[in-house]
């Protein structure tokens, strides 16, 4: 049930005030029972300074049972829509609040709710206020003790944060467990789980010799899918000791996998709660991509124990303090353990695609937002992914040693407290001595900066000049922009691909240039020949780059750039150029022409014997249509699709017989999740796609064969994706077979739902609606919904943007239903409807009509209200 009377008022970062009261400790008692759960919260309050202000507690959707102060029933209070105001409290007192909850009716999946048969909680960002009245803000750090009682047969495991300190039997088949968390924490890190599980056990000995019990709780019958998550946890613990010198601090670390979860996972102190999609895996059920996702998310939540929990955020505007930094840490973990190049490529794909789109849309905000209506709307690509890029730039500017010194100082200053983004940058500046004055603007300025670069070479003097202009176009939230401190990593090559050292007047120049001004020129001498420049190496800043590369220069970089990322990036630029030119030709009714240079460069990649197949796969896989749309001010959806397909066909033809030969050479026996094999499977999938473009009949046979012979989910799905993406004759048969095999396993069935949602055909909505009637589908389950509807709305550009408006109408109808069921998930699915700036007028009008329909909805949740009203203000 949704509370329809939530205030739509905005909160401003500037309005932060220290709390009027502190809460030093809270003792919670949960009596889990049907239908209503009773929660008793006993808080020790302390007035902050001398004042007569009342205490205003947060609370949402609560049924208040009783209040007492120092053991005496208390009546001097006022209950508001989402608050409880207490008057005339003594300077110090013990407040007892008893509330009643109905977890089974909680479909929003915030606060205390039921996932299947288990009780669980989600308190970030503001879910604790759905459990009890409290100062639900992250600068209130309290010691928690939690007593849980429940029916013993149904709920044999009763879990909360910290250490188990007592347990015992109760009357009526009930039992209880008492937990104590020695680390003061904000309410958003509180967690409770009660249910029946299978448990994967292990242990870890920290570098200082502490023995930590590791426990992963999964639904009964799923123990054979928990091993990889456990290995990932142990690797994360070891890596954080080795690279950051950070050790775990409790005697137990628990992870619980649940099927109903709004996001990926949650870092609650000592008791992570995970979307089961980021825990469960075995070769029959999970793809290589799923394994990678598990390793990454397990690491991310573990790393939060220091960056998020030990040092938390003063207020929610500081969210990137923990999220940007923790994403940076998990990216470094993945890169140290696997392929740095492939990881960088995929992280950059996310920034350049969806994050740049966010900057260009109505929700544009700095990584540290200034104004928020619904905090759940700010768990964004900007806060997470761009936030991580900002940390990465600091790392680039300071170097590893200074960066680690900054981390150390940050923990010395702020361990056990709630900090700000400024505190973090200050520690980095103080520890390194690097001036970060202008760099701080990355925290306050939104939007995607654009770098326009040109160069001149004087053969007579050997002088090479690089002119760099920076400009950030206005965003919906911020019309004025200032110059930023942009690290620009470059390298120069001579005609043979040898590196030309950077120098000026006998001084070596580092390859990371400090771009600080709106316009700046960098001069190098002793440059013996006109160089080819590799710019923005490793995506050294989250910016758009403009430089007039010739096809020849890009083909050269694809071959000679010393760094895997730079080679991939050159290939991307080459494709982008071809797409821009191709769309212009299609719009003039002309055929698409591809340069021989482009075709030869891609053939050379496929032919390069020494190249990591994983990198080959990344280079050969063309950018998606949504990413390509970002290249245009007005994106012609149908022309982009047509041009992308034509490029694929032309490349397939250029590859010719190499495709079948390569495909055969990549066959593997047995399944191992190691880079070498993952790389081969990835390339095999890409090659199979090109084969389908070249020769559908041959591909149909190969796809059937691969599907039938596959001993792992990666190969199975690669076959299905090609069958689906190219509408091969085997499509219907194989999809039906897959659905039949996995009908009862939601996580695996999600793959089928994604295939259905991304069917590249006009009747896709017929199949989507049929899939919604599947017994395993439920709009209450965010994973099912995102798989089916998310793939349609975000991965099926041509059909979602159908000119008759059917895609927009379908999504809007669903959002109206979801507004009641789960506003947080609705607010994520609405993204493609609010990012319409680049569409033509006809489509814009259709979308506006649907958004207007939403805006008029009775009881529109705050989450959707914020986005719909911003979108309509465009
Ligand atoms: N803090 C979590 C993470 O980044 C994400 C998170 C925020 C979350 N809000 C949530 C998870 C709500 C689930 C539900 O790891
Ligand atoms: Zn996080």
């Amino acid at each position: 049930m949704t509370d329809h009377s939530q205030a739509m008022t905005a909160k401003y970062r500037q309005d932060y005030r220290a709390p009027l009261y502190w809460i030093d400790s809270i003792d919670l008692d949960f009596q889990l029972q049907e239908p209503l759960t009773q929660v008793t919260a006993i808080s020790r309050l302390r007035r902050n300074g001398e004042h007569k202000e009342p205490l205003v507690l947060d609370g949402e959707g609560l049924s208040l049972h009783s209040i007492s102060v120092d053991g005496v029933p208390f009546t001097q209070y006022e209950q508001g829509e989402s608050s409880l105001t207490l008057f005339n409290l003594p300077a110090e007192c013990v407040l007892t609040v008893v509330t009643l909850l109905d977890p089974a009716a909680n479909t929003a999946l915030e606060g205390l709710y039921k996932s299947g048969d288990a009780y669980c909680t989600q308190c970030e960002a503001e879910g604790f206020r759905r459990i009890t009245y409290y100062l639900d803000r992250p600068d209130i750090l309290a010691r928690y003790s939690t007593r849980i009682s429940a029916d013993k047969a149904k709920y044999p495991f009763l879990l909360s944060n910290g250490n188990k300190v007592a347990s015992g039997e109760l009357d009526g088949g009930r039992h209880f467990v008492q937990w104590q968390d020695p680390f003061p924490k904000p309410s958003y890190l509180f967690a409770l789980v009660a249910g029946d599980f299978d448990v994967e056990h292990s242990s870890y000995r920290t570098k200082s010799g502490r023995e930590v019990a590791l426990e992963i709780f999964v639904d009964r019958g799923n123990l054979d899918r928990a091993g990889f998550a456990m290995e990932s946890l142990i690797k994360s613990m070891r890596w954080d000791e080795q690279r950051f010198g950070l050790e775990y601090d409790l005697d137990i670390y628990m992870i619980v996998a649940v099927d109903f979860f709004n996001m990926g996972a949650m870092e609650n102190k000592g008791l992570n709660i995970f979307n089961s999609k980021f825990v469960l895996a075995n070769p029959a059920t999970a793809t290589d991509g799923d394994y990678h996702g598990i390793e990454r998310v397990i690491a991310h939540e573990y790393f939060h124990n220091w960056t998020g929990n030990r040092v938390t955020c003063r207020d929610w505007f500081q969210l990137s303090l923990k999220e940007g930094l923790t994403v940076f840490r998990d990216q470094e973990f993945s890169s140290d353990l696997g392929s740095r190049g492939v990881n960088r490529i995929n992280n950059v794909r996310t920034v350049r695609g969806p994050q740049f789109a966010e900057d260009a849309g109505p929700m544009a905000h700095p990584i540290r937002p200034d104004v928020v209506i619904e905090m759940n709307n700010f768990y964004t690509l900007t806060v997470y992914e761009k936030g991580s890029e900002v940390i990465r730039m600091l790392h680039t500017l300071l170097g590893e040693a200074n960066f680690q010194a900054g981390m150390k100082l940050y923990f010395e200053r702020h361990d056990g407290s709630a900090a700000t983004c400024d505190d973090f940058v200050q520690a980095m500046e103080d520890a390194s001595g690097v001036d970060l004055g202008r760099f701080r603007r990355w925290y306050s300025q939104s939007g995607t900066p654009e770098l326009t670069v040109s160069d001149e070479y004087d053969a007579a003097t050997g002088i090479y000049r690089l002119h760099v202009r920076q400009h950030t176009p206005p965003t919906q939230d911020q019309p004025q922009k200032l110059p930023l401190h942009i690290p620009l990593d470059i390298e120069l090559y001579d005609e043979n691909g040898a590196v030309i050292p950077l120098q000026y007047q006998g001084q070596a120049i580092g390859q990371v240039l400090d771009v600080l001004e709106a316009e700046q020129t960098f001069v190098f001498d002793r440059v013996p020949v006109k160089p080819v420049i590799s710019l923005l190496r490793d995506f050294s800043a989250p910016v758009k780059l403009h430089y007039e590369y010739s096809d020849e220069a890009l083909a050269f970089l694809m071959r000679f750039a010393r760094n895997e990322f730079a080679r991939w990036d050159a290939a991307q630029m080459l494709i982008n150029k071809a797409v821009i030119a191709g769309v212009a030709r299609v719009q003039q009714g002309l055929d698409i022409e591809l340069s021989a240079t482009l075709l030869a460069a891609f053939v050379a990649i496929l032919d390069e014997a020494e190249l990591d197949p994983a990198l080959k796969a990344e280079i050969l896989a063309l950018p998606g249509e949504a990413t390509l749309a970002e290249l245009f001010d007005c994106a012609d959806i149908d022309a982009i699709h047509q041009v992308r397909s034509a490029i694929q066909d032309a490349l397939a033809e250029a590859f010719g017989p190499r495709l079948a030969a390569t495909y055969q050479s990549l066959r593997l026996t047995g399944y191992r999740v190691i880079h070498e094999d993952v790389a081969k499977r990835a390339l095999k999938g890409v090659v199979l796609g090109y084969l389908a473009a070249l020769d559908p009949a041959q591909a149909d046979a190969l796809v059937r064969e691969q599907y039938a012979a596959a001993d792992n989910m990666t190969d199975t799905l690669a076959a299905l994706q090609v069958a689906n993406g190219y509408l091969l004759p085997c499509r219907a048969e194989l999809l039906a077979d897959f659905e039949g095999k996995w009908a009862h396993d939601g996580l695996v069935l999600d793959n089928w739902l994604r295939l259905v949602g991304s069917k590249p055909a006009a009747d896709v909505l017929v199949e989507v609606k049929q899939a919604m009637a599947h017994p395993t589908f439920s709009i209450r389950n965010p994973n099912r919904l995102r798989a089916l509807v998310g793939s349609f709305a975000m991965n099926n550009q041509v059909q979602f943007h159908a000119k008759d408006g059917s895609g927009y109408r379908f999504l809007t109808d669903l959002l109206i239903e979801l507004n009641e069921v789960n506003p947080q998930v609705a607010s994520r699915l609405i993204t493609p409807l609010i990012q319409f700036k680049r569409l033509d007028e006809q489509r814009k009008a259709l979308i506006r009509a649907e958004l207007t329909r939403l805006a008029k909805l009775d009881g529109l949740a705050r989450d959707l209200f914020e986005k719909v009203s911003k979108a309509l203000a465009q």
Side-chain angles (χ1 to χ4, degrees):
M1 265 197 306
T2 312
D3 174 8
H4 289 314
S5 45
Q6 318 164 61
M8 304 293 178
T9 48
K11 285 189 187 155
Y12 294 83
R13 179 167 65 86
Q14 293 301 343
D15 291 346
Y16 175 82
R17 297 288 177 275
L20 290 165
Y21 292 81
W22 301 109
I23 301 175
D24 296 318
S25 70
I26 173 168
D27 299 340
L28 288 160
D29 178 280
F30 287 82
Q31 294 183 31
L32 301 173
Q33 59 210 359
E34 303 294 341
L36 295 183
T37 285
Q38 182 173 304
V39 182
T40 304
I42 304 175
S43 305
R44 258 150 298 265
L45 299 174
R46 185 162 47 90
R47 197 171 61 208
N48 182 12
E50 218 27 74
H51 64 76
K52 297 220 149 36
E53 301 298 318
L55 169 65
V56 184
L57 300 177
D58 306 294
E60 254 167 53
L62 294 172
S63 147
L64 179 61
H65 178 271
S66 63
I67 307 178
S68 67
V69 169
D70 292 329
V72 181
F74 189 75
T75 53
Q76 300 181 62
Y77 68 87
E78 235 170 67
Q79 220 177 337
E81 209 52 70
S82 53
S83 64
L84 181 72
T85 306
L86 306 167
F87 301 93
N88 303 317
L89 289 171
E92 287 189 25
C93 64
V94 176
L95 171 70
T96 304
V97 179
V98 181
T99 49
L100 296 169
L101 312 176
D102 186 356
N106 180 352
T107 60
L109 316 184
E110 277 186 283
L112 179 68
Y113 66 93
K114 290 204 85 173
S115 172
D117 294 330
Y119 287 94
C120 65
T121 55
Q122 173 54 42
C123 294
E124 188 175 6
E126 298 177 331
F128 194 72
R129 64 187 63 186
R130 294 166 188 252
I131 293 174
T132 188
Y133 286 103
Y134 195 70
L135 283 178
D136 190 14
R137 44 187 286 171
D139 56 355
I140 295 288
L141 303 182
R143 283 203 170 73
Y144 282 64
S145 91
T146 307
R147 186 185 190 273
I148 311 165
S149 58
D151 182 89
K152 188 171 184 179
K154 274 174 141 165
Y155 308 101
F157 294 95
L158 305 176
L159 314 176
S160 191
N161 319 85
N163 303 310
K164 194 190 275 196
V165 291
S167 61
E169 309 290 314
L170 298 169
D171 290 345
R174 293 173 66 83
H175 70 146
F176 80 94
V177 177
Q178 172 114 23
W179 295 83
Q180 187 126 38
D181 183 354
F183 292 93
K185 66 170 174 289
S187 50
Y188 81 88
L189 290 174
F190 169 77
L192 172 155
V193 172
D196 190 8
F197 302 100
D198 277 336
V199 190
E200 171 88 354
H201 290 272
S202 189
S203 69
Y204 181 80
R205 198 181 162 81
T206 70
K207 65 175 180 183
S208 74
R210 175 200 283 277
E211 203 65 31
V212 183
L214 309 178
E215 300 180 348
I216 300 183
F217 297 79
V218 298
D219 277 356
R220 287 218 171 262
N222 275 339
L223 211 49
D224 65 329
R225 299 195 204 182
F228 186 80
M230 184 63 86
E231 285 171 34
S232 301
L233 176 59
I234 292 169
K235 286 179 185 166
S236 306
M237 297 177 87
R238 188 169 301 127
W239 181 87
D240 215 12
E241 291 181 351
Q242 289 172 348
R243 174 93 186 258
F244 278 79
L246 297 172
E247 206 175 316
Y248 188 61
D249 53 12
L250 283 166
D251 299 330
I252 183 166
Y253 194 89
M254 296 175 280
I255 292 174
V256 183
V258 300
D259 288 332
F260 287 73
F261 204 67
N262 280 345
M263 309 260 272
M266 181 63 213
E267 69 264 25
N268 318 301
K269 184 81 189 186
L271 178 57
N272 289 181
I273 300 180
F274 269 61
N275 187 324
S276 54
K277 146 190 180 66
F278 289 114
V279 173
L280 303 177
N282 67 31
T285 62
T287 64
D288 294 340
D290 293 332
Y291 277 100
H292 185 259
I294 291 168
E295 187 176 87
R296 176 176 62 78
V297 177
I298 294 264
H300 179 96
E301 306 312 331
Y302 175 72
F303 299 153
H304 267 315
N305 190 54
W306 277 95
T307 50
N309 301 4
R310 290 288 291 253
V311 182
T312 194
C313 301
R314 187 193 69 176
D315 56 75
W316 288 121
F317 299 100
Q318 316 296 328
L319 179 61
S320 203
L321 174 72
K322 74 177 176 82
E323 295 303 346
L325 180 54
T326 304
V327 171
F328 172 76
R329 277 153 52 68
D330 83 54
Q331 290 179 354
E332 283 300 291
F333 166 79
S334 295
S335 302
D336 283 349
L337 266 63
S339 159
R340 184 161 286 270
V342 169
N343 277 292
R344 190 66 189 134
I345 286 165
N346 285 305
N347 297 333
V348 171
R349 281 190 210 275
T350 308
V351 177
R352 276 196 184 143
Q355 197 280 317
F356 283 5
E358 193 163 270
D359 280 342
M363 278 292 288
H365 55 279
I367 63 167
R368 181 188 56 201
D370 288 313
V371 48
V372 165
I373 292 178
E374 169 52 58
M375 189 54 214
N376 284 331
N377 282 342
F378 287 83
Y379 288 77
T380 59
L381 292 154
T382 300
V383 166
Y384 276 65
E385 308 300 323
K386 185 179 177 183
S388 165
E389 293 301 318
V390 170
I391 303 293
R392 184 171 296 284
M393 286 190 286
L394 280 173
H395 186 269
T396 302
L397 292 170
L398 270 59
E400 170 75 4
N402 273 331
F403 183 86
Q404 289 298 348
M407 291 296 299
K408 197 161 166 267
L409 186 57
Y410 171 65
F411 289 123
E412 273 166 27
R413 288 180 179 171
H414 303 291
D415 186 12
S417 71
T420 63
C421 296
D422 277 335
D423 292 331
F424 181 80
V425 179
Q426 195 62 50
M428 286 288 158
E429 189 166 63
D430 293 345
S432 68
V434 175
D435 179 359
L436 297 173
R438 183 153 291 193
F439 187 85
R440 286 177 170 79
R441 287 183 185 162
W442 282 105
Y443 284 86
S444 53
Q445 187 160 293
S446 58
T448 309
E450 304 201 10
L451 278 188
T452 306
V453 178
S454 62
D455 54 355
E456 296 166 64
Y457 176 66
D458 182 352
T461 57
I463 289 187
Y464 179 72
R465 289 192 163 78
L466 197 63
H467 306 293
V468 182
R469 256 189 314 125
Q470 63 161 305
H471 166 73
T472 306
T475 48
Q476 187 166 327
D477 64 321
Q478 233 179 28
Q480 305 295 334
K481 305 289 180 184
L482 298 166
L484 297 161
H485 184 173
I486 297 173
L488 177 61
D489 190 342
I490 66 162
E491 197 156 75
L492 301 182
Y493 298 102
D494 73 13
E495 70 275 26
N496 301 316
V499 175
I500 302 172
L502 301 177
Q503 54 187 310
Y504 186 63
Q505 297 188 339
Q507 289 273 76
I509 296 177
Q511 64 184 34
V512 179
L513 309 178
D514 288 294
V515 176
L516 288 151
E517 310 300 331
E519 290 193 35
Q520 228 169 316
T521 297
F522 299 88
V523 185
F524 309 93
D525 61 13
R526 298 201 200 177
V527 177
V529 293
K530 185 176 180 358
V532 174
I533 186 164
S534 174
L535 284 160
L536 202 67
R537 295 172 78 248
D538 268 326
F539 197 59
S540 58
V543 302
K544 283 190 182 171
L545 172 69
H546 304 290
Y547 174 79
E548 299 267 320
Y549 273 118
S550 65
D551 281 11
E552 288 67 30
L554 292 170
F556 176 94
L557 290 173
M558 277 174 71
R559 184 160 161 216
F560 288 116
R562 281 197 307 171
N563 148 309
E564 292 191 333
F565 176 85
R567 298 182 68 181
W568 169 81
D569 204 19
Q572 295 285 297
M573 289 189 266
L574 197 48
I575 295 293
N576 290 349
K577 276 187 77 180
V579 170
I580 291 168
V583 166
R585 288 184 67 88
V586 166
Q587 287 170 337
Q588 293 162 40
L590 302 171
D591 281 344
I592 297 153
E593 289 173 342
L594 286 185
S595 78
T597 307
L598 181 152
L599 295 174
F602 277 79
V603 169
I605 292 289
L606 188 56
D607 279 345
E608 189 177 322
E610 298 300 302
L611 190 57
D612 179 358
L615 190 68
K616 279 191 192 183
E618 297 294 348
I619 292 176
L620 299 183
L622 298 179
E625 290 169 25
T627 301
L628 292 172
E630 287 299 302
L631 297 171
F632 300 87
D633 288 331
C634 180
D636 183 335
I637 301 283
D638 303 293
I640 290 171
H641 173 76
Q642 202 182 322
V643 171
R644 186 181 181 276
S645 304
I647 294 175
Q648 212 153 28
D649 291 347
L651 285 173
E653 193 148 329
F655 295 145
R658 290 174 180 84
L659 291 172
T662 307
Y663 180 85
Q664 298 305 338
S665 76
L666 293 167
R667 287 178 184 274
L668 289 167
T669 47
Y671 181 78
R672 296 173 303 175
V673 190
I674 56 168
H675 179 77
E676 192 190 339
D677 287 7
V678 170
K680 286 182 179 164
R681 283 188 291 271
L683 183 57
K684 191 169 70 172
V686 171
V687 164
L688 191 57
Y690 279 108
L691 270 169
L694 184 67
D695 182 350
Q698 190 195 359
D700 191 67
L702 278 177
V703 164
R704 285 176 190 276
E705 188 197 311
Q706 176 165 323
Y707 181 82
D711 65 354
N712 65 82
M713 186 53 80
T714 306
D715 284 339
T716 301
L717 262 187
L720 290 174
Q721 272 155 6
V722 172
N724 190 54
Y726 293 84
L727 298 174
L728 296 180
C730 62
R731 176 190 183 271
E733 187 187 320
L734 298 193
L735 260 67
D737 182 79
F738 187 87
E739 183 276 318
K741 272 196 188 119
W742 297 103
H744 300 293
D745 190 316
L747 277 186
V748 182
L749 200 73
D750 283 346
N751 293 302
W752 177 77
L753 295 172
R754 272 186 285 271
L755 292 163
V756 170
S758 44
K759 181 182 184 185
D763 66 349
V764 55
L765 275 181
V766 176
E767 288 191 28
V768 167
K769 285 172 189 165
Q770 278 167 9
M772 290 179 83
H774 192 284
T776 301
F777 183 87
S778 158
I779 86 158
R780 290 187 177 209
N781 185 301
N783 287 358
R784 296 307 89 77
L785 204 56
R786 271 191 293 259
L788 183 64
V789 181
S791 66
F792 170 69
M794 325 232 189
N795 264 331
N796 201 342
Q797 294 285 293
V798 172
Q799 299 310 327
F800 174 68
H801 293 289
K803 284 214 175 73
D804 62 1
S806 53
Y808 307 148
R809 207 174 321 120
F810 167 77
L811 182 56
T812 305
D813 288 342
L814 186 80
L815 293 176
I816 289 172
E817 211 181 326
L818 260 185
N819 179 58
E820 300 283 331
V821 174
N822 188 332
Q824 198 182 341
V825 168
S827 192
R828 290 191 165 260
L829 281 176
I830 201 177
T831 304
L833 275 183
I834 65 171
Q835 294 179 351
F836 56 73
K837 187 175 108 177
R838 300 185 197 284
L839 295 175
D840 54 84
E841 291 307 318
Q842 192 191 335
R843 287 180 169 109
K844 273 186 188 159
L846 289 166
I847 290 183
R848 280 183 172 280
E850 297 299 335
L851 290 174
T852 306
R853 186 151 71 95
L854 273 172
K856 289 183 181 152
L857 197 65
D858 226 12
L860 186 65
R862 224 167 29 181
D863 317 52
L864 284 176
F865 167 82
E866 181 168 38
K867 292 192 178 179
V868 170
S869 53
K870 282 182 182 169
L872 285 172
Q874 267 179 98

